[in-house]
Amino acid sequence: MTTSQQVSQPPAETGPQPARGAANRRRLPGGAMVWVLALLILAAIVLSKGVFIRPSNLTTVLYQTAVVGVLAMAQAYAVISKGLDLSIGATAILAALIIGDSSSADPQFLPHLPLPLAILFGLVVGLLVGVVNGFLAGRTAVPPFIITLSTYLVIVGVTFMLTQGAPVTQPAQVLKDLGEARVWILPVPVLLWFALIVVGHFVLSRTKPGAMLYAVGGNETAARLSGVPVARIKMFIYAAAGVFAAAAGLLFLARTGSVSPSAGSEFMLMSVAAVVVGGIPLSGGQGKIRDVVLGVLILGIAGNLMNLMGISPYLQMAVQGAIILVAVGANQRLAQGRGV
Amino acid sequence: MTDDVLVRMAGITKSYPGVAALRGVDFDLRAGEVHCLIGENGAGKSTLIRMLTGAEQPDQGVITISGQEYGGLRPALAHRLGVSAIYQETDLVPQLTVAENVFLGHEPRGRSGAMDRAGMRREARRVLDELGVTLPVDAPVSELTAANAQLVQIAKALSRNCKVLIMDEPGAVLSDHELESLFEIVRSLRARGMGIVYISHRLEELMLIGDRVTVMRDGQWVQTRAVAETSVPEIIRAMVGRELSDQYTKTAVVGDDVVLSVRGLTLRGHFEDVTFDLRRGEVLGLAGLVGAGRSELLNCIFGAIPADSGTVTLNGQPLKARSPQQAIEAGIGLVPEDRRGAGLILSRSVQENLTLPSLGRLSRGMVLRGKELAAVCRSYVEDLRIKTPSAAQPVRLLSGGNQQKVVLAKWLARGTTVLLLDEPTAGVDVGAKSEIYALMDRLASDGISILMASSELSEVLGMSDRVLVMAEGRLTCELSREEATQEVIMSHAVPMSAAIAS
């Protein structure tokens, strides 16, 4: 009870602490990725001869990054729980199609709904997909990777059956207007992304399900033996991922004004890329929303810079692949330095 | 014992950033001796061993093996020189068979260059025969008991013509009976002229098997003595650098009221018809050999495994715990045997681990009460004297003893009335051990009831108000503190159908 006991302890028994210095290093906000981002921004300014730093360009970067940004948060939840959600990209497109078609004046395959109801409809469908994923992940021994691979295929199939492969191009005009509307210089979709970052961060760091999510990802057995309702937490994780994915679909629709069923097959992969570039280990139990945001920004800025430099899209993909490898390699080096 | 020196390590020094792990340590090993190495966690034993197996290279110092001097070894070189190590966590591949594991990495080849399976099985059987054990060479290692898996590791070392065998805590996973057979094997290896480095926390083991014992403390050599010329108190004094008063603290405070009552509990294949009562403030020891069903019994009461039949009553109310969550809500806590695998979330912080079972109490709705979480954690870190630089320290960086204190603190913070302890001091060093005993005693005085399964007889005898002995899934006897002796317990712990494959 007393602090004097603390002081009088022999220091001998604390054992070797090679982690001390590393632990200090780790306390830098955001760790190594903050520096990578800073260097990247600096490089972008220099290489683009200042074009990068113009407000209009910065807005474009955020505008283009928002959709993947929201999807990557959904993915982060799954990855922190030691899972993976392959279905979020497809869920986003499904939600976008539902919102776009049912809010349109001339719906192709759904009844017409007022915009707020249409949005709600899309979000609820996202939630349902997530609930199915979460139920299976919590109650069966099938790995989340397989579960969400199956739901991904089911969703893609359903999407094509509904739309007959045709894109939805006429969502409610209000939605398009909102997608282009700005508050100060920031487009509404970007603001929505920011709001979701705050929500995602709060849930993960300040709520009971958030704390339990880390426990489940870190060691499921120990979590269960500590009274964590593992099945319920998994339900929560994938349900949250489903809703986030649907929200990403909404952003995508608002920004582009149209959505094709075949769009966004790379969304899911980009979400995984952003999570790992941000330094969240696939082994689970670790990672913060801040990390995902960093990962998304690094990939987004790199893409923007290559656009500004006129690099071909094919080469851009190759470069992004290299970025992912380098980032993961660097993060693992750091983790080893910490004595993991 | 001959005087052939197999290994001589002189002036070994090794630093990691910020810490000197080893400072000028000398160590030698002769052919045909068991040289015990002992010290508290963090004393530098494992680091010294890593130098010998080539896993790491010393900053300074010389290692001489069979007359040849080396500034540092590499794993491949150490292997060639006949140095093999057996660790607590086995490095066997569970899916492969016994024979495949024995020859992993140096499989015998036929003339065509293909693996010679028949030859491999024959050789594996020969090596195991040499050890005097019969094991099914075609069985996957995952089906073996911990004791037999250890034998496979020894066989693996022998198949590599090992001259220096390092055993790191081999007794930790064994029952006393299994330990005795292991000792016989160790003695026969010694008789063949092998040099054995034996690391253990259990002093009794060292006194039984060791020829010489070297004590380390804080990365330094303290003393090397012939076992015959030293004593347990002297070794403890050398290890901790101070006199350790009686390890066990025990005050009898057993109340009259029955808190936990188990009737006819059965889990087919593990235990049958288990009936007993646990009183307020009582420490009830559960003794028996490994595999007697003790862990399963605790897990069953805790709701982690559903029982096939029988009832559990807690404070007069039937407890139908179908998940740990329900048992925890009723006021039961489990400290599992596998601390790292089941007790803690190693990558997360002290605070997160310590407060995990109490999150419901420490949140308003869904939102955590951050200040209270920190306050609860701080008070238990101080109260149990958990040595950690901060509440944010990942528990994997704590020593075994401090990790175990975090597991105990989890349940104290939750407000538990019945504690189920499964091997509470496994892998915990001597200093922390007596702290845990003192804590158990204090908790019992506070009215908490403790059911403690332990393979360490001295611990059962030292701490229990009453002892239950389990053998082959049945309670074979109940002893009061006065009646309980090593002999009586062992006579009831060994299965009556004494056909034990060694």
Side-chain angles (χ1 to χ4, degrees), chain A residues 22-104:
Chain A
N24 281 331
R25 191 156 16 109
R26 213 189 157 195
R27 269 183 224 120
L28 290 172
M33 286 303 128
V34 170
W35 298 107
V36 173
L37 182 65
L39 281 176
L40 186 62
I41 290 174
L42 218 68
I45 295 170
V46 173
L47 289 173
S48 69
K49 303 193 180 69
V51 178
F52 174 80
I53 202 74
R54 285 183 196 155
S56 61
N57 184 60
L58 288 180
T59 320
T60 309
V61 174
L62 292 176
Y63 201 46
Q64 287 170 343
T65 317
V67 176
V68 173
V70 174
L71 275 178
M73 273 197 282
Q75 195 62 268
Y77 272 47
V79 168
I80 292 170
S81 78
K82 207 175 180 172
L84 203 61
D85 193 336
L86 300 185
S87 70
I88 51 174
T91 306
I93 295 306
L94 177 63
L97 287 167
I98 287 173
I99 298 170
D101 194 57
S102 62
S103 71
S104 141

Side-chain angles (χ1 to χ4, degrees), chain B residues 96 106 164 311 336 420:
Chain B
L96 296 183
H106 61 127
V164 174
T311 58
L420 311 172

Side-chain angles (χ1 to χ4, degrees), chain B residues 209-222:
Chain B
I209 192 69
D211 296 310
R212 285 193 297 162
V213 54
T214 289
V215 180
M216 291 181 69
R217 185 173 73 229
D218 303 336
Q220 282 173 305
W221 176 89
V222 179

Side-chain angles (χ1 to χ4, degrees), chain A residues 1 206-208 219 222 226 285, chain B residues 341-342 344 348 366 368 410:
Chain A
M1 274 304 182
R206 300 280 156 79
T207 70
K208 197 167 72 165
N219 183 342
S226 301
Chain B
L344 292 168
R348 304 308 301 177
M366 283 288 133
L368 299 174
K410 269 166 56 170

Side-chain angles (χ1 to χ4, degrees), chain B residues 68-295:
Chain B
Q68 181 76 38
E69 284 191 9
Y70 301 92
L73 300 171
R74 296 279 164 188
L77 177 60
H79 255 143
R80 240 187 353 264
L81 295 170
V83 178
S84 281
I86 297 174
Y87 295 104
Q88 274 162 288
E89 286 90 19
T90 64
D91 53 357
L92 300 172
V93 183
Q95 295 86 352
L96 296 183
T97 66
V98 169
E100 286 165 340
N101 266 292
V102 167
F103 288 100
L104 193 66
H106 61 127
E107 292 84 356
R109 304 269 163 195
R111 228 173 307 159
S112 64
M115 192 157 53
D116 175 11
R117 287 193 168 273
M120 189 164 86
R121 298 172 54 204
R122 204 169 46 239
E123 272 298 291
R125 214 168 274 136
R126 188 187 60 75
V127 175
L128 288 166
D129 279 348
E130 257 179 58
L131 285 175
V133 295
T134 13
L135 283 180
V137 290
D138 293 322
V141 163
S142 57
E143 288 174 11
L144 300 183
T145 61
N148 284 338
Q150 211 164 50
L151 295 178
V152 175
Q153 285 194 296
I154 297 177
K156 187 174 162 184
L158 288 183
S159 77
R160 287 175 177 271
N161 273 326
C162 145
K163 278 183 268 175
V164 174
L165 183 64
I166 300 158
M167 306 178 84
D168 189 2
E169 288 275 356
V173 292
L174 303 185
S175 65
D176 286 6
H177 178 76
E178 291 166 326
L179 195 60
E180 195 43 54
S181 4
L182 177 72
F183 281 176
E184 264 168 46
I185 289 168
V186 170
R187 287 188 193 108
S188 79
L189 296 177
R190 173 175 64 186
R192 277 203 245 166
M194 203 183 266
I196 294 157
V197 181
Y198 193 100
I199 302 172
S200 178
H201 277 126
R202 300 201 212 173
L203 298 173
E204 297 82 358
E205 279 181 27
L206 308 187
M207 302 309 284
L208 283 172
I209 192 69
D211 296 310
R212 285 193 297 162
V213 54
T214 289
V215 180
M216 291 181 69
R217 185 173 73 229
D218 303 336
Q220 282 173 305
W221 176 89
V222 179
Q223 63 174 40
T224 301
R225 294 261 192 288
V227 166
E229 292 160 17
T230 187
S231 63
V232 171
E234 189 194 337
I235 295 175
I236 293 183
R237 207 157 44 235
M239 278 170 69
V240 298
R242 61 179 189 271
E243 200 76 49
L244 207 65
S245 56
D246 196 9
Q247 264 213 306
Y248 303 105
T249 331
K250 183 65 197 142
T251 29
V253 285
V254 184
D256 286 334
D257 38 344
V258 171
V259 175
L260 182 80
S261 169
V262 174
R263 291 287 174 272
L265 205 63
T266 300
L267 179 66
R268 273 189 287 281
H270 293 286
F271 58 83
E272 261 176 78
D273 196 21
V274 170
T275 295
F276 67 89
D277 288 330
L278 177 65
R279 293 170 190 284
R280 178 170 311 282
E282 181 177 38
V283 178
L284 181 55
L286 192 53
L289 305 180
V290 169
R294 292 167 306 166
S295 292

Side-chain angles (χ1 to χ4, degrees), chain B residues 444-458:
Chain B
S445 310
D446 293 344
I448 292 178
S449 311
I450 296 174
L451 177 58
M452 174 185 72
S454 171
S455 299
E456 255 185 80
L457 275 182
S458 56

Side-chain angles (χ1 to χ4, degrees), chain A residues 99 102-103 113-124 175 178 246 250:
Chain A
I99 298 170
S102 62
S103 71
L113 291 172
L115 183 62
L117 273 185
I119 291 177
L120 188 66
F121 188 16
L123 294 178
V124 166
L175 195 60
L178 262 180
L250 173 65

Side-chain angles (χ1 to χ4, degrees), chain B residues 303-498:
Chain B
I305 312 175
D308 289 318
S309 61
T311 58
V312 178
T313 315
L314 185 69
N315 294 319
Q317 303 284 328
L319 174 75
K320 289 208 172 70
R322 308 187 58 182
S323 70
Q325 207 190 346
Q326 287 167 326
I328 292 165
E329 268 156 32
I332 302 183
L334 170 73
V335 175
E337 179 180 12
D338 181 6
R339 176 171 58 238
R340 300 169 67 83
L344 292 168
I345 293 142
L346 291 174
S347 59
R348 304 308 301 177
S349 70
V350 171
Q351 177 172 323
E352 282 167 286
N353 273 282
L354 203 154
T355 56
L356 188 56
S358 322
L359 287 180
R361 214 159 47 75
L362 296 172
S363 52
R364 194 179 291 109
M366 283 288 133
V367 182
L368 299 174
R369 298 197 272 197
K371 276 187 193 150
E372 284 182 46
L373 282 171
V376 165
C377 178
R378 198 166 44 236
S379 76
Y380 282 98
V381 165
E382 276 174 21
D383 189 19
L384 304 193
R385 290 198 269 158
I386 298 170
K387 281 163 206 153
T388 173
S390 82
Q393 180 87 339
V395 284
R396 89 184 125 74
L397 299 176
L398 265 49
S399 72
N402 285 305
Q403 287 182 344
Q404 192 71 323
K405 287 186 197 170
V406 173
V407 180
L408 283 161
K410 269 166 56 170
W411 300 120
L412 304 185
R414 180 66 178 72
T416 300
T417 53
V418 174
L419 264 179
L420 311 172
L421 308 182
D422 199 355
E423 305 290 352
T425 62
V428 167
D429 60 53
V430 200
K433 249 183 182 179
S434 49
E435 280 188 75
I436 288 176
Y437 295 139
L439 176 64
M440 281 170 65
D441 190 52
R442 202 185 84 199
L443 297 177
S445 310
D446 293 344
I448 292 178
S449 311
I450 296 174
L451 177 58
M452 174 185 72
S454 171
S455 299
E456 255 185 80
L457 275 182
S458 56
E459 176 173 290
V460 171
L461 294 170
M463 291 310 298
S464 310
D465 293 299
R466 208 153 46 99
V467 180
L468 299 174
V469 186
M470 219 170 161
E472 290 188 313
R474 287 178 178 278
L475 287 187
T476 48
C477 96
E478 179 191 327
L479 303 162
S480 69
R481 185 171 174 81
E482 292 70 35
E483 294 165 331
T485 63
Q486 295 218 349
E487 291 71 28
V488 181
I489 291 179
M490 278 322 289
S491 69
H492 288 91
V494 178
M496 297 316 269
S497 55

